[in-house]
Amino acid sequence: MRLILVDDEKGIVDGLKKMIGRYLPECKVVGVAHNGLEGVKLIQKLQPDVVITDIRMPQADGLDMIQMLRDEGSKAKFILLSGYADFEYARRGMQLGVQFYINKPVEEEQLRDCVHQVMETIQTDRAKLREVDDLKQEVHSRKQESALRDMLDVGSENAELMEELLQAAQLPTDGASFACILLEFDGHADALKEMSFQQVLCKIDLALKPYRGVYRFRYSGSQVAVVVSHSGAIGYGDLVHRIKTLKEGVYRDLKLSMTVGIGTVQKRAAGISQSFEEARYALSYKVVKGLDTVIPYPEIMDLNERSHPVPEELEAKLEAGLDNMDEVECVGTIREIFRWMEGEPSMSPAELQLQCLNILLSSVRKMSFQQLQQNDFLGRHILSLEGIARFRTLERLEEWMIQVIRRMIAFKLEHNIPKKKDMITQIKDYLSKHYNESISLAELAARFFISPYYLSQFFKQKTGDTYVNYLAQLRIGKAKELLEKTDLKVYEICQLVGYSDTQHFARLFEKLTGCKPSEYRRNLPKL
């Protein structure tokens, strides 16, 4: 503890210094003043924890000094040196919040006990402040994570909503670059237990420490999303290198294997969702690149550019058959695709194998992480170049593809996964019953055994609105009903419709209705 002594009698000051040095080794006298005005300047400069001051001094007495320091916001604790005749001074001291007094002449035991009491008070106050700060930080982190999660899922085309979410996330955007990363840990959803999860977050922070901002959180099951921001440019090669080093360190120290997709660097915050879509897309190519790999998005683009693309109409036809679990349609389409491949004599066996994977990827990419984990047939030994390498002829590849497609349809039927034409209806029905819960796109996708990326695209295609915007409209609609039919306070309604941040709720309400929640209630027609 840092102490300052203020007394106009040098002998008392010297005596206090000796006693403190002898009986209070945890304290250090950092300064001495001999009148109130001198004390004010010294205390403002050195910001001590404790001040022991006489009451009666020239220029400004001890209480005047305390008053001036309190007016300036000083947080120091004061101990008054007072005689038995100084009762009026003591009463004024209490009004100033002074709790501690030492009677003159000062005795060692009294000084030690009084300073120890002050130290305990200071430590208790600091502990309370830390609790408040920790709580504030936790609330801020939760709000930021919620906004970031929505930013990742909302889609890059919704600029207006993106601005709202950027404001809620409090991300610095001036002159900044951004990139997104998606980590997926090998194993089931429990692979990241709470302790190992915190250790992984620490590893991420350490690996990406040179960047100005690193925001990371559990995205879904065994997936961790990372948003990196930096003032100026982000070197993509350096970012990929750091992620590879992170992957090696996580396996070495935590014995966790992970596969990583890395999106491209974006020069504006509105591109964050695009970079995340790219990271998610890159990660889906683990069936080509293998597990326990780092997959930058540009590598996937290069891979696709080198391959012979199957006609889009045939891919769309296969996709429709899978979505509606029509085995006859799917098998027929596979036959058509292979007849087309027979007409491409320049394709090598390796290219044929890769082409089969690319055909399946359009379907596998729609499957959720949980679905892939549960479907053993679509595990690492089937959807991999090593697995396909066994089939060197078109005929055997064709039969293998049909077998995979049949297994995918059987899995969907076994788990009661809705057909494409029914899925949006079921999702809307689920949201109408659970709108007041924290429902991220990733969590919703896992519930319906579909990948978040595909759900985001499909939802927008079928409803004309993003998932995030649809949920916001639903919640605000429920909030309007509560404002109309109840006397609940705005913050209570905010929580009842699924929001934790009242300010964000009020801004969103005003944006979607044109007025604040309180104004909406005030303008309701009188019955």
Side-chain angles (χ1 to χ4, degrees):
M1 290 285 175
R2 303 167 73 250
L3 276 71
I4 281 180
L5 306 178
V6 186
D7 198 301
D8 59 335
E9 296 185 41
K10 186 176 182 300
I12 292 178
V13 169
D14 291 342
L16 287 170
K17 288 174 70 174
K18 287 180 181 178
M19 283 190 281
I20 290 169
R22 182 178 301 171
Y23 299 107
L24 292 163
E26 60 270 63
C27 297
K28 179 181 179 181
V29 177
V30 296
V32 171
H34 297 290
N35 63 66
L37 293 182
E38 186 181 323
V40 169
K41 294 177 183 178
L42 188 65
I43 293 164
Q44 287 177 329
K45 178 182 177 182
L46 299 181
Q47 298 293 316
D49 301 301
V50 182
V51 176
I52 301 177
T53 178
D54 191 16
I55 293 179
R56 299 185 182 185
M57 293 183 295
Q59 296 190 41
D61 65 27
L63 296 178
D64 291 336
M65 179 189 75
I66 294 172
Q67 181 69 66
M68 286 185 276
L69 289 165
R70 286 281 189 255
D71 292 344
E72 293 297 323
S74 174
K75 302 299 183 184
K77 297 293 184 183
F78 293 92
I79 299 175
L80 286 178
L81 296 174
S82 64
Y84 289 108
D86 293 333
F87 176 75
E88 283 302 318
Y89 285 106
R91 187 168 64 179
R92 278 184 58 203
M94 292 177 188
Q95 293 171 347
L96 290 170
V98 178
Q99 299 171 284
F100 306 98
Y101 299 85
I102 299 176
N103 291 321
K104 292 182 179 180
V106 180
E107 296 181 1
E108 295 91 340
E109 185 176 348
Q110 185 185 18
L111 173 66
R112 186 178 60 234
D113 291 346
C114 187
V115 172
H116 279 159
Q117 289 179 42
V118 176
M119 289 168 59
E120 288 179 9
T121 301
I122 291 173
Q123 289 165 353
T124 300
D125 289 348
R126 287 177 178 174
K128 290 179 180 177
L129 285 174
R130 282 195 298 272
E131 285 183 19
V132 172
D133 289 342
D134 289 346
L135 182 59
K136 287 181 179 177
Q137 183 59 43
E138 183 179 352
V139 170
H140 171 72
S141 297
R142 288 177 181 270
K143 287 164 56 177
Q144 188 174 66
E145 178 181 326
S146 176
L148 280 170
R149 188 184 294 278
D150 286 345
M151 285 173 63
L152 299 183
D153 293 336
V154 72
S156 53
E157 73 282 356
N158 197 326
E160 186 178 359
L161 182 55
M162 181 64 74
E163 287 299 320
E164 169 71 21
L165 293 171
L166 275 171
Q167 186 177 359
Q170 298 180 17
L171 259 64
T173 57
D174 292 342
S177 298
F178 302 87
C180 292
I181 305 143
L182 186 59
L183 288 60
E184 184 172 273
F185 289 84
D186 191 18
H188 49 76
D190 292 333
L192 279 185
K193 297 291 186 182
E194 190 58 34
M195 186 169 69
S196 61
F197 177 61
Q198 292 303 322
Q199 291 174 321
V200 166
L201 296 186
C202 289
K203 291 281 187 186
I204 293 171
D205 291 343
L206 186 61
L208 303 177
K209 188 176 180 180
Y211 301 115
R212 182 175 69 177
V214 178
Y215 311 91
R216 68 289 183 277
F217 53 91
R218 191 190 294 268
Y219 183 68
S220 174
S222 290
Q223 293 183 336
V224 174
V226 183
V227 179
V228 174
S229 72
H230 192 58
S231 51
I234 295 174
Y236 197 70
D238 180 65
L239 177 63
V240 172
H241 174 72
R242 290 184 180 281
I243 295 301
K244 288 181 177 178
T245 302
L246 168 66
K247 181 183 74 68
E248 293 166 1
V250 167
Y251 183 76
R252 181 185 63 246
D253 300 333
L254 305 178
K255 297 299 181 284
L256 289 173
S257 297
M258 67 182 189
T259 309
V260 187
I262 307 177
T264 60
V265 175
Q266 301 292 318
K267 294 184 178 179
R268 55 192 183 90
I272 289 175
S273 61
Q274 178 182 334
S275 182
F276 187 71
E277 287 173 12
E278 293 169 350
R280 198 154 43 187
Y281 185 85
L283 183 62
S284 73
Y285 269 74
K286 61 183 179 287
V287 296
V288 176
K289 294 286 189 176
L291 297 177
D292 195 30
T293 54
V294 174
I295 311 171
Y297 179 75
E299 286 186 13
I300 301 307
M301 292 299 95
D302 292 343
L303 185 65
N304 285 337
E305 287 172 5
R306 292 197 299 269
S307 65
H308 294 68
V310 171
E312 289 185 6
E313 60 272 18
L314 289 179
E315 283 195 348
K317 189 176 179 181
L318 178 61
E319 177 184 319
L322 279 168
D323 287 333
N324 293 309
M325 295 174 239
D326 188 336
E327 184 177 322
V328 174
E329 177 75 9
C330 288
V331 171
T333 306
I334 291 293
R335 304 284 189 206
E336 287 186 61
I337 291 173
F338 273 80
R339 300 296 78 76
W340 171 84
M341 290 171 70
E342 285 178 348
E344 297 286 335
S346 62
M347 294 176 71
S348 67
E351 287 178 313
L352 290 172
Q353 294 161 4
L354 182 59
Q355 188 62 62
C356 288
L357 276 179
N358 283 335
I359 294 167
L360 287 174
L361 274 177
S362 64
S363 301
V364 174
R365 205 174 293 127
K366 300 171 188 175
M367 300 172 73
S368 69
F369 176 75
Q370 289 82 353
Q371 187 175 345
L372 286 171
Q373 288 292 342
Q374 292 179 33
N375 193 335
D376 293 335
F377 189 76
L378 296 176
R380 69 179 70 186
H381 300 299
I382 295 298
L383 290 182
S384 67
L385 288 175
E386 291 82 359
I388 297 178
R390 296 171 295 159
F391 308 109
R392 306 292 294 179
T393 67
L394 264 180
E395 182 181 0
R396 294 189 67 188
L397 275 171
E398 183 175 348
E399 293 309 313
W400 175 83
M401 284 279 286
I402 290 172
Q403 184 184 18
V404 172
I405 293 295
R406 282 175 171 157
R407 291 292 185 95
M408 290 172 68
I409 292 173
F411 180 89
K412 291 185 176 186
L413 292 171
E414 180 185 347
H415 288 80
N416 298 315
I417 300 172
K419 295 182 179 181
K420 182 175 179 180
K421 62 184 179 182
D422 302 324
M423 185 174 292
I424 294 300
T425 300
Q426 292 193 27
I427 288 174
K428 285 184 174 181
D429 183 59
Y430 179 82
L431 291 178
S432 69
K433 296 174 182 175
H434 300 272
Y435 65 88
N436 58 336
E437 300 173 12
S438 175
I439 313 172
S440 70
L441 180 65
E443 292 164 341
L444 187 69
R447 177 172 292 276
F448 284 88
F449 285 97
I450 187 172
S451 81
Y453 175 78
Y454 180 64
L455 176 56
S456 173
Q457 302 300 311
F458 185 50
F459 196 93
K460 177 69 183 295
Q461 175 190 344
K462 291 301 179 183
T463 68
D465 207 351
T466 65
Y467 160 74
V468 173
N469 206 39
Y470 177 85
L471 181 58
Q473 294 276 7
L474 179 62
R475 285 172 166 173
I476 296 305
K478 298 294 183 180
K480 288 166 65 177
E481 290 182 21
L482 291 171
L483 287 167
E484 293 167 5
K485 299 177 181 178
T486 74
D487 294 325
L488 292 170
K489 298 184 183 302
V490 171
Y491 76 86
E492 294 174 317
I493 292 175
C494 166
Q495 295 171 352
L496 285 173
V497 298
Y499 292 108
S500 57
D501 183 355
T502 307
Q503 291 182 340
H504 173 62
F505 165 71
R507 285 197 303 268
L508 191 60
F509 190 97
E510 184 174 11
K511 177 182 172 184
L512 296 179
T513 66
C515 62
K516 294 180 173 61
S518 55
E519 294 173 349
Y520 181 86
R521 173 176 275 167
R522 196 161 49 243
N523 294 333
L524 290 172
K526 305 298 181 184
L527 298 178

